[in-house]
Amino acid sequence: MESLKLIANAFKSQPFSLKNAEELGLTRYELKKLLAQGKVKKLAHGIYALSKGDISLAEQFRNAAALIGQPSVICLLSALEYYDITDVISKEIWVMVPATRRTHKCGIRLFRTAHFNQDIGIVKTKDFSITSIERTIVDALTHQRQVAIT
């Protein structure tokens, strides 16, 4: 129980890595035990977060941004859902990244672009960046084939 309090105080609701947990003094065994109890969940290889049942959309975006790293921007279907413009609920988090970035993370869909510009139409929150409502609409109309909006 003490290890759970230690993680909660150090990371709050932020994702953390195995290395971060070990720096706090947790062993792999203790982390595995917390996973088995359902108090910690595994987001990806070596990335964990505290379990809180259903997580909000903003928390999902924060986790995706932590997994992908910078530069990355939440975009297209995920941004449409965030701004409540669509009734489509995507199974994946759409993330805009430079064309050279690759990932095989489950639940994340990369939208790779050669003209990655983080200055135009990007809203930066404390935990993640997301396209503005205006840019989201323009991108969705421009990339209809990839988004499949009907």
Side-chain angles (χ1 to χ4, degrees):
M1 191 59 116
E2 186 176 315
S3 56
L4 184 63
K5 288 180 185 178
L6 190 63
I7 291 173
N9 290 336
F11 303 111
K12 310 267 187 269
S13 59
Q14 301 287 332
F16 60 93
S17 67
L18 176 60
K19 183 179 177 184
N20 297 138
E22 287 175 341
E23 287 172 356
L24 286 176
L26 266 71
T27 63
R28 289 176 188 244
Y29 173 75
E30 290 172 318
L31 191 58
K32 233 181 214 185
K33 195 172 175 182
L34 290 173
L35 279 167
Q37 294 171 351
K39 296 178 181 179
V40 172
K41 63 184 171 190
K42 187 173 185 174
L43 301 175
H45 180 72
I47 305 290
Y48 304 91
L50 292 174
S51 293
K52 293 188 233 175
D54 291 337
I55 60 174
S56 70
L57 198 58
E59 287 182 56
Q60 291 177 26
F61 292 166
R62 178 182 44 221
N63 293 342
L67 290 173
I68 298 299
Q70 292 299 325
S72 64
V73 177
I74 305 299
C75 67
L76 294 172
L77 275 179
S78 296
L80 287 170
E81 186 178 352
Y82 181 79
Y83 294 121
D84 203 23
I85 299 174
T86 184
D87 56 356
V88 175
I89 297 174
S90 178
K91 294 178 184 175
E92 301 170 311
I93 304 296
W94 286 64
V95 182
M96 184 187 313
V97 294
T100 57
R101 179 75 55 89
R102 303 248 192 277
T103 189
H104 297 288
K105 306 263 191 265
C106 185
I108 296 177
R109 170 115 183 223
L110 293 186
F111 179 71
R112 298 180 299 136
T113 179
H115 306 292
F116 185 75
N117 189 343
Q118 274 193 288
D119 299 326
I120 300 172
I122 304 296
V123 177
K124 295 181 184 193
T125 67
K126 185 179 98 174
D127 300 318
F128 59 90
S129 297
I130 188 167
T131 54
S132 68
I133 193 166
E134 297 85 3
R135 181 168 177 176
T136 300
I137 292 169
V138 169
D139 284 350
L141 293 172
T142 304
H143 303 288
Q144 285 182 28
R145 189 170 290 171
Q146 288 94 342
V147 178
I149 295 175
T150 56

